[in-house]
Amino acid sequence: MAHALATTDRKTAMMYAGETPWHGLGTKLDEPASSREAIEAAGLNYRVDLKPIYTGDGTLIPQRKAVVRDDSRDVLGVVGNSYQPVQNYQSFGFLDSIVADGQLRYHTAGALGKGEKIWMLAKMPGEIRIKDSEDVTEQFLLLSNSHDGSSALRVFFTPIRVVCANTLGLAERRGRGQGVSVVHKGDLAAKVGEAQEILGLAAKFYDNVEERINHLANHYPSQQQLESYFERLYPDHTESKNKRAENVRSELFRLFEEGRGQDIPETKLTTWAAFNAVTEFVDHHRTTRGKTDRERASSRLESAWFGSGASLKARAWDEALGLAV
């Protein structure tokens, strides 16, 4: 279920650096932030505490505890006794420890719901330049954590295409996914091993991604291949023709030819362009729920990074690799 972005002191609990992002939400900083700057600007400077739970007649429920936000006193979730919260400052410290020389800078961070889910997006040194062109993809780490027991702390390897600022959802084949999970046990500051593992895996991941992206950018699909690619992502219903799926495929064809960054000569009309048509659709055009523009934008953001939009982009990547074989 999608959540609106959290609100802290009547401000959207999110920060971003530089140009206004496609969702247009959050507190603007002039340049990428250190962890201390990001946690303040994003409204993440709160703690969570575990509190006992009682029935209405005062009887203690021994096997469960409430996760309570210390500033607002909101109950963010109910968890078992073995659960250990990971504080927001610990999450930032965990990412900081991955690149110990201080080169990690935060481009966005924020919270969803009442603060039960948080994320931070940090840029690693280096970039991927496609076919020696102006088409550049930068290397990011996306950390997410929950305070309601719904998920572990996870770090994803998340490339972002500079020309259109689209987040590329890339998954390994056979559904194994990508990234590293850290369970809610112990002190993250002591988990240097996990941090070093993430850094090593990220370096290997991005080396592999550069090779695969250039492979996609050297493949030019036929009209039939392109139709089949988009149909696998948005198929018609077997019972009757799905007009919505047909309309989405029409929009994907338009974005393939006219979308953001699709005029770069070296990558125009390639399978890489077809994949980016899907990422642009998910990030900018896909229908989301919400009564206001702000609610729809925050729902689209959550979906594109963590929900069905992320899954769609991962399938699009996998299908594109198969197409280019």
Side-chain angles (χ1 to χ4, degrees), residues 128-284:
I128 298 170
R129 187 170 295 274
I130 314 304
K131 294 174 71 172
D132 295 322
S133 70
E134 62 181 286
D135 194 347
V136 173
T137 295
E138 293 184 330
Q139 304 173 160
F140 283 81
L141 296 174
L142 175 63
L143 181 147
S144 70
N145 184 41
S146 71
H147 294 308
D148 59 2
S150 61
S151 66
L153 181 148
R154 294 200 65 190
V155 180
F156 303 88
F157 315 135
T158 307
I160 295 181
R161 193 185 187 207
V162 174
V163 70
C164 53
N166 287 346
T167 304
L168 309 181
L170 312 184
E172 295 179 4
R173 301 182 75 79
R174 296 182 295 279
R176 289 175 294 172
Q178 48 88 8
V180 176
S181 295
V182 179
V183 296
H184 284 240
K185 293 182 180 179
D187 184 356
L188 278 188
K191 298 201 172 190
V192 179
E194 282 92 337
Q196 296 305 316
E197 178 190 9
I198 290 171
L199 181 59
L201 290 175
K204 294 177 182 178
F205 172 81
Y206 280 114
D207 285 345
N208 182 264
V209 163
E210 181 170 11
E211 178 182 346
R212 292 188 173 193
I213 289 178
N214 275 290
H215 181 64
L216 298 183
N218 280 293
H219 182 265
Y220 292 82
S222 66
Q223 180 71 15
Q224 184 177 1
Q225 286 178 316
L226 201 59
E227 289 176 357
S228 178
Y229 175 62
F230 291 146
E231 284 176 1
R232 286 195 295 274
L233 297 173
Y234 273 93
D236 292 323
H237 286 303
T238 55
E239 299 83 3
S240 62
K241 196 165 186 179
N242 184 349
K243 191 69 175 177
R244 179 180 178 276
E246 182 180 333
N247 291 338
V248 170
R249 294 197 299 268
S250 177
E251 177 68 357
L252 292 175
F253 272 105
R254 185 188 70 80
L255 295 174
F256 171 70
E257 296 178 347
E258 304 172 5
R260 306 178 185 202
Q262 305 291 52
D263 57 346
I264 298 174
E266 291 87 348
T267 58
K268 185 176 178 63
L269 303 181
T270 64
T271 300
W272 170 242
F275 169 65
N276 277 286
V278 180
T279 64
E280 181 177 348
F281 174 73
V282 171
D283 284 356
H284 297 273

Side-chain angles (χ1 to χ4, degrees), residues 283-302:
D283 284 356
H284 297 273
H285 306 286
R286 191 169 181 243
T287 302
T288 56
R289 295 181 179 180
K291 296 180 180 179
T292 66
D293 289 344
R294 178 184 179 277
E295 289 179 357
R296 287 188 289 273
S298 62
S299 293
R300 185 175 291 114
L301 172 68
E302 183 180 12

Side-chain angles (χ1 to χ4, degrees), residues 4-15 23-27 40-44 109-111 119 294 298 301:
L5 287 163
T7 300
T8 302
D9 296 330
R10 299 185 179 180
K11 295 193 304 183
T12 300
M14 178 174 174
M15 58 74 62
H23 43 76
L25 303 167
T27 299
E40 292 292 333
L44 299 178
W119 83 87
R294 178 184 179 277
S298 62
L301 172 68

